[in-house]
Amino acid sequence: MNAIEINFDGLIGPSHNYSGLSLGNLASANNAGEISRPKAAALQGLAKMRLMMSLGLTQGLLLPHLRPHVPTLHALGYRGAPEAMMAQVWAEDPALARNLCAASAMWTANAATISPSADTRDGRMHVSPANLVTNLHRALEAEFTTRQLHLLFADPRYFSVHAPLPMHAAFGDEGAANHGRFCDAHGAPGVELFVYGDNPGGRFPARQTLRASQAIARRHGVRQPVFVQQANRAIEAGAFHNDVVSVVNQTVLFAHEDAFEDKAATYTSIRAAFPALHVEEVPTSAVPMADAIRSYLFNSMLVTLPGSTTSAPRMALILPAETQETPSTKAYLDALAGSNGPIAACHVIDVRESMRNGGGPACLRLRVALTEAEVAALDPRFLLTPEKADALERWIEDSYPDEIAPDMLGDPLLHRQLLTALDRLQGVLGLPDLYGV
């Protein structure tokens, strides 16, 4: 069956700031307390979406979450106008205030795990929003993400949107950042790769549990799941999600040599289910793990270009600019460009504001394979057009702060600006009352 892949990018929210909330994310930690540029961040993300459309690919978006997170303020007993509540929280508990203002929902690779209809026993697409229980600022995202996904995938004939897994560390689930799909074509039955972590006693937590991955595959009714373990040495080096050290697209696994705990067993397991596997492995001798993480080489997007065929795939890497500024990754990519493999093109983009907070091009998107009938059943308000991109650009220019310094998170004027910006966004996209404030 014919199908296309749509990337749903997270629209970077106006509260984008550097609070360093994510243990194990080295970029987030290294830039904690710096001055962020929310307007530049959102425009960089929108430019990436425009690039995807220019390549002939269908592009979607998911919206920023309500920040500050007013429901949590109310649940904790605060009362009054949101900006007044946040001023009080900042005075009493700055760490809590920083968690309530995070714009981390922009990384929609963590929004959900999605199994296309070609892979499932009931022939519907299944969606599991991630619970993100490892970090408080991310756990706050599950409810609003679920609400958006119910709007986007509303037709039960084609879609089944599940509740997040139980909110407990035993079922820690961080979404598609730890999930990939091998297939001959987007509409063909696929083999779904679930990557889990197990890093007891390590400096940094393993965020995706095997129990969570197994539960998602089970309730989605995935016909051919494969479960493999991320390398502990990669987690300890700062690869907090598997998409920091590998990326899958159709027949290709683009991965660092040290991405998986047992590399040989991983490749054998995948090939047993998907014999057409092509591994593009980057050796440590060419790109040390520290360089791969610093540049986010593997957090690039690997996409199939229009006009590709199963026998002659044409893929492109969408790379962060940092890969050109790191000598080892630039040398590797220069050599890759001259090879005869399936990766035919590289496009370098500037998403520095996201990168400085710990997320590259792949973090910013949730990829979804859909048939023509399923595309027609989507809520079109979540699909991007050039005209909608123009309207969003005007909204960003008019509504976003230019900068957020750390101590501004206690400023009532900033919080009023953030809430006003989101209120205006509802009108731009025709989604009234989405935020409820």
Side-chain angles (χ1 to χ4, degrees), residues 178-182 191-195 226 228 248 253 260 270:
N178 302 293
H179 176 259
R181 179 173 184 259
F182 298 100
V191 171
E192 297 195 17
L193 182 70
F194 293 84
V195 185
V226 174
V228 301
V248 172
L253 171 62
F260 303 102
I270 297 170

Side-chain angles (χ1 to χ4, degrees), residues 18-70:
Y18 298 138
S19 288
L21 299 173
S22 185
L23 179 65
N25 184 327
L26 299 185
S28 172
N30 291 340
N31 291 297
E34 298 293 327
I35 294 173
S36 67
R37 300 188 301 149
K39 184 178 293 184
L43 293 174
Q44 288 168 5
L46 190 59
K48 178 173 97 72
M49 296 186 231
R50 289 187 188 272
L51 170 65
M52 302 302 288
M53 291 193 294
S54 75
L55 295 176
L57 301 168
T58 304
Q59 180 66 48
L61 72 159
L62 293 176
L63 277 59
H65 290 211
L66 179 65
R67 295 294 181 269
H69 196 246
V70 176

Side-chain angles (χ1 to χ4, degrees), residues 58-332:
T58 304
Q59 180 66 48
L61 72 159
L62 293 176
L63 277 59
H65 290 211
L66 179 65
R67 295 294 181 269
H69 196 246
V70 176
T72 296
L73 288 167
H74 289 160
L76 296 176
Y78 292 96
R79 296 293 180 265
E83 56 267 37
M85 289 189 286
M86 281 304 301
Q88 181 181 353
V89 174
W90 182 257
E92 296 174 354
D93 190 347
L96 175 60
R98 285 189 282 268
N99 277 276
L100 298 179
C101 292
S104 51
M106 66 197 208
W107 295 310
T108 56
N110 305 125
T113 302
I114 295 184
S115 297
S117 56
D119 297 354
T120 65
R121 292 189 179 90
D122 69 0
R124 293 187 298 166
M125 192 184 85
H126 285 256
V127 181
S128 283
N131 60 27
L132 296 167
V133 293
T134 303
N135 291 293
L136 171 59
H137 69 290
R138 303 232 59 182
L140 298 177
E141 297 170 16
E143 186 276 333
F144 188 74
T145 294
T146 303
R147 193 190 320 170
Q148 285 198 76
L149 295 174
H150 273 295
L151 286 172
L152 175 59
F153 304 117
D155 193 329
R157 295 175 299 170
Y158 301 105
F159 311 119
S160 177
V161 179
H162 300 265
L165 292 175
M167 301 293 283
H168 188 277
F171 302 101
D173 173 29
E174 305 242 336
N178 302 293
H179 176 259
R181 179 173 184 259
F182 298 100
C183 55
D184 292 320
H186 291 312
V191 171
E192 297 195 17
L193 182 70
F194 293 84
V195 185
Y196 64 92
D198 184 10
N199 192 35
R203 288 186 305 155
F204 302 137
R207 301 185 183 184
Q208 184 76 27
T209 69
L210 176 58
R211 282 193 185 97
S213 296
Q214 290 171 330
I216 290 169
R218 187 164 49 242
R219 70 181 185 176
H220 286 193
V222 175
R223 290 193 185 93
Q224 291 197 85
V226 174
F227 304 95
V228 301
Q229 184 180 343
Q230 183 177 352
N232 288 340
R233 57 192 174 278
I235 296 172
E236 289 294 283
F240 52 100
H241 292 135
N242 189 66
D243 67 359
V244 178
V245 286
S246 76
V247 60
V248 172
N249 184 55
Q250 290 192 207
T251 59
V252 175
L253 171 62
F254 181 49
H256 192 273
E257 178 183 13
D258 293 328
F260 303 102
E261 186 67 14
D262 187 334
K263 180 181 70 173
T266 293
Y267 295 168
T268 297
S269 296
I270 297 170
R271 283 199 173 95
F274 189 75
L277 173 68
H278 173 90
V279 178
E280 188 73 40
E281 184 183 272
V282 180
T284 300
S285 59
V287 178
M289 178 65 77
D291 286 0
I293 292 172
R294 184 182 306 113
S295 67
Y296 270 28
L297 171 64
F298 299 98
N299 200 251
S300 303
M301 296 169 63
L302 183 58
V303 298
T304 302
L305 299 171
S308 290
T309 63
T310 302
S311 59
R314 292 181 62 252
M315 299 183 189
L317 277 170
I318 314 300
L319 298 151
E322 286 78 357
T323 59
Q324 301 302 295
E325 298 160 3
T326 304
S328 65
T329 55
K330 184 179 188 305
Y332 181 83

